Amino acid sequence: MIKSLKKRITKISCIGAGYVGGPTMAVIADQCPHIKVVVLDINEQRIKAWNSDNYDKLPVFEPGLKEIVLRSRGKNLFFSTEINNNIADSDIVFLSVNTPTKLSGVGSGHASDLRWIEKCARQVALASSGHTIVVEKSTLPVRTAQTIKTILGSSSNKKKSFSVISNPEFLAEGSAIKDLQNPDRVLIGGEDPVSIEQVADIYRHWIDDKKIIRTNLWSSELSKLTANAFLAQRISSINSVAAICEETGANINEVSLAIGSDTRIGNKFIKSGPGFGGSCFKKDLLNLIYLCKYFGLKEVANYWLSVVSLNSWNQNRISEIVVNKLFGTLAEKKIVILGFAFKANTNDTRESSAITISKNLLIEGAKLKIHDPKVSSDQIKAEFNLIDNKSNYQNIYKEDINNGSWEKIDNIYDAFIDADAAIVLTEWEEYSSLDWEKISKLMRKPSWVFDTRSIVNNNIISKTDINLWRIGIGPN
């Protein structure tokens, strides 16, 4: 299967124009002007959006992305639905498609659904010519490379050959461009040293070779899952401590500062909040749990399952706190949701804590006024209509969330008119500088603000008649 001879890379294609494929290829094109980079997707509307003259309407929002696309698009960066033609003359094909958790069948609720990866591998096997390096960019279960290799190796055309490389992304949404331009490390796993170095050559245009780690395929795939599992574990751990702080009078921000000052621990991912979200953490944890169960490691599986369970518990407890503070019922009460993206500086809503918390409030009969500077009404609608059969909602039908109602509000202060409470769920900078004196005059009394992100200034809000609840901080 491997017949590689090192040659100059002149063209790269990437199947998948989403949150990973788009920004990653844009940065590669920006840093390697001699390489033609084509981002491919079957979604015509998404490709149309990437090619739009309105750079503020790119399908992915990341600080700095617009400027890079503006510099490179039409020069050596292209977005296209012509998949087969572009694969045919590409030296390297990145696979960067969605790998959601399976909702039915073997491994349901834990294993990744690899149908799109399999489809891409078959398409590459059919459309490629000569020798092609196929790079796993999506987060994949360990040994997925073997599946890709088997599919590619089934080609009856002896003039074709392939090398499979694992090059997982380690991007934090909201800082993806910075992470791509100055990463902690670049991980390249494979069996063919020549192909590994050809992929490394691309990154060496702007990244020190000391940051490029070479491994075998399986170590690379497992490293990605494990990195996200460790980060998710820290978030669940600090949120469990936040609950203790609320009961004991300790301050979670002070506790985080104290333990984060320990160089053995460090200060990253120990900030309390509503819970982890995004496309990777939960999915990768469930993937790791499935892998452990498959190999009979029950206790290890249960350990990582507790991280997922605690995250769900934290989201549900926030909903319960809101209900309890508002006299045990939300029927006909207006609640302002400040932020629907899973974190600031992204328009990604996948696995956002706001979804679970908002659904809980809708089931209670609340009227939600949802504000987010980057998330569209269509995105919110889609998230409310997609019920994960393996989540806490497995016995709750869609109709139950219709006990309440919701609408997207663009003017943030309009959302507060006659509102009973507001919940800060995303740490957008504009939420930390709201005029709470003005807001207090708009809200119905008694009014509450629930700050799950520790961005509301207590000294300012204490001068109003608004009641404030802060995560990880008990009553004064």
Side-chain angles (χ1 to χ4, degrees):
M1 180 180 174
I2 301 173
K3 299 179 182 179
S4 62
L5 294 173
K6 190 169 182 181
K7 65 174 184 177
R8 181 178 173 85
I9 301 300
T10 60
K11 182 176 179 180
I12 294 172
S13 287
C14 174
I15 305 177
Y19 286 90
V20 174
T24 301
M25 294 302 114
V27 169
I28 289 177
D30 192 46
Q31 298 289 343
C32 304
H34 62 285
I35 298 177
K36 181 178 181 180
V37 179
V38 185
V39 185
L40 306 168
D41 206 295
I42 60 173
N43 188 324
E44 294 183 1
Q45 289 301 114
R46 180 177 294 170
I47 293 299
K48 183 178 179 181
W50 279 111
N51 286 321
S52 172
D53 291 333
N54 187 346
Y55 287 88
D56 290 322
K57 295 295 183 181
L58 295 178
V60 174
F61 173 75
E62 282 288 338
L65 176 60
K66 177 177 70 172
E67 291 76 13
I68 290 177
V69 174
L70 183 61
R71 283 198 299 268
S72 302
R73 199 181 69 187
K75 297 175 183 176
N76 70 319
L77 175 64
F78 304 88
F79 298 89
S80 174
T81 58
E82 297 292 328
I83 296 178
N84 288 343
N85 291 340
N86 281 291
I87 289 175
D89 60 353
S90 291
D91 303 303
I92 301 178
V93 177
F94 283 80
L95 306 184
S96 187
V97 295
N98 193 21
T99 54
T101 302
K102 290 182 69 175
L103 298 180
S104 60
V106 177
S108 175
H110 291 88
S112 289
D113 187 341
L114 300 179
R115 73 180 76 179
W116 301 114
I117 283 291
E118 181 179 339
K119 185 175 181 179
C120 287
R122 294 185 186 279
Q123 199 158 15
V124 172
L126 179 67
S128 63
S129 61
H131 181 75
T132 306
I133 300 173
V134 179
V135 180
E136 298 177 331
K137 200 64 181 173
S138 304
T139 302
L140 299 167
V142 182
R143 305 294 296 189
T144 300
Q146 187 60 53
T147 300
I148 297 173
K149 286 167 60 180
T150 300
I151 293 171
L152 295 174
S154 65
S155 174
S156 59
N157 190 332
K158 302 304 180 183
K159 294 182 180 180
K160 298 182 181 182
S161 61
F162 303 93
S163 296
V164 177
I165 296 292
S166 172
N167 175 220
E169 52 84 14
F170 294 96
L171 307 181
E173 291 185 54
S175 62
I177 300 302
K178 290 182 179 179
D179 294 340
L180 287 163
Q181 292 173 331
N182 186 27
D184 292 333
R185 77 293 202 194
V186 173
L187 186 58
I188 304 174
E191 298 174 330
D192 173 30
V194 174
S195 296
I196 290 174
E197 290 310 310
Q198 285 180 298
V199 175
D201 282 345
I202 296 170
Y203 290 106
R204 273 195 290 262
H205 281 88
W206 75 98
I207 296 168
D208 192 316
D209 189 69
K210 293 178 181 178
K211 288 187 174 184
I212 300 176
I213 301 173
R214 286 88 163 167
T215 70
N216 68 39
L217 274 170
W218 325 124
S219 295
S220 179
E221 290 178 333
L222 184 58
S223 294
K224 170 61 176 178
L225 291 183
T226 307
N228 281 343
F230 272 55
L231 294 175
Q233 183 268 340
R234 287 171 69 95
I235 294 172
S236 284
S237 294
I238 200 65
N239 283 335
S240 71
V241 175
I244 300 173
C245 288
E246 292 162 22
E247 298 298 325
T248 61
N251 184 315
I252 189 59
N253 298 318
E254 295 172 350
V255 172
S256 295
L257 176 63
I259 64 175
S261 299
D262 188 326
T263 56
R264 297 168 301 173
I265 299 173
N267 61 5
K268 293 184 178 180
F269 284 82
I270 55 170
K271 183 176 177 61
S272 60
F276 56 75
S279 63
C280 289
F281 282 3
K282 182 178 179 181
K283 177 174 69 71
D284 290 354
L285 273 167
L286 294 176
N287 210 319
L288 187 60
I289 292 165
Y290 179 71
L291 186 69
C292 293
K293 289 181 176 179
Y294 179 83
F295 288 110
L297 303 173
K298 180 181 177 181
E299 289 76 14
V300 180
N302 289 339
Y303 171 78
W304 290 114
L305 183 60
S306 69
V307 176
V308 179
S309 299
L310 200 142
N311 193 58
S312 297
W313 167 82
N314 190 56
Q315 294 169 352
N316 290 325
R317 87 176 182 94
I318 290 172
S319 306
E320 291 173 5
I321 288 170
V322 173
V323 174
N324 291 334
K325 294 292 187 183
L326 296 184
F327 310 113
T329 179
L330 299 185
E332 300 298 313
K333 291 179 180 176
K334 295 181 181 179
I335 311 293
V336 179
I337 302 296
L338 293 176
F340 205 82
F342 86 93
K343 63 183 292 189
N345 294 321
T346 179
N347 61 341
D348 195 351
T349 59
R350 289 174 293 180
E351 297 294 342
S352 172
S353 297
I355 300 169
T356 297
I357 293 171
S358 295
K359 284 179 178 177
N360 287 345
L361 302 181
L362 289 170
I363 291 168
E364 293 286 339
K367 294 183 176 180
L368 303 185
K369 309 295 181 182
I370 302 174
H371 180 274
D372 191 288
K374 294 297 179 181
V375 175
S376 69
S377 180
D378 286 342
Q379 283 180 272
I380 298 171
K381 183 178 180 180
E383 295 291 4
F384 283 160
N385 286 336
L386 293 174
I387 304 296
D388 180 353
N389 292 329
K390 298 301 174 183
S391 74
N392 292 333
Y393 290 88
Q394 59 184 349
N395 296 317
I396 298 175
Y397 297 96
K398 294 179 184 179
E399 289 74 18
D400 286 318
I401 69 171
N402 290 329
N403 289 336
S405 63
W406 69 274
E407 64 174 316
K408 174 77 167 25
I409 303 293
D410 293 325
N411 186 316
I412 193 167
Y413 289 101
D414 287 348
F416 286 96
I417 297 174
D418 293 327
D420 296 275
I423 311 175
V424 181
L425 293 177
T426 310
E427 65 280 26
W428 288 104
E429 185 177 352
E430 62 188 272
Y431 297 157
S432 63
S433 57
L434 291 172
D435 186 341
W436 290 108
E437 183 176 354
K438 176 181 178 179
I439 290 171
S440 69
K441 296 175 182 177
L442 297 174
M443 298 180 75
R444 191 169 75 155
K445 306 299 183 292
S447 52
W448 279 89
V449 170
F450 300 89
D451 182 12
T452 74
R453 294 291 188 175
S454 300
I455 63 172
V456 176
N457 189 316
N458 180 51
N459 293 328
I460 293 176
I461 210 164
S462 64
K463 297 176 183 178
T464 71
D465 54 8
I466 298 175
N467 297 294
L468 175 64
W469 175 90
R470 293 176 289 172
I471 193 167
I473 300 176
N476 296 329

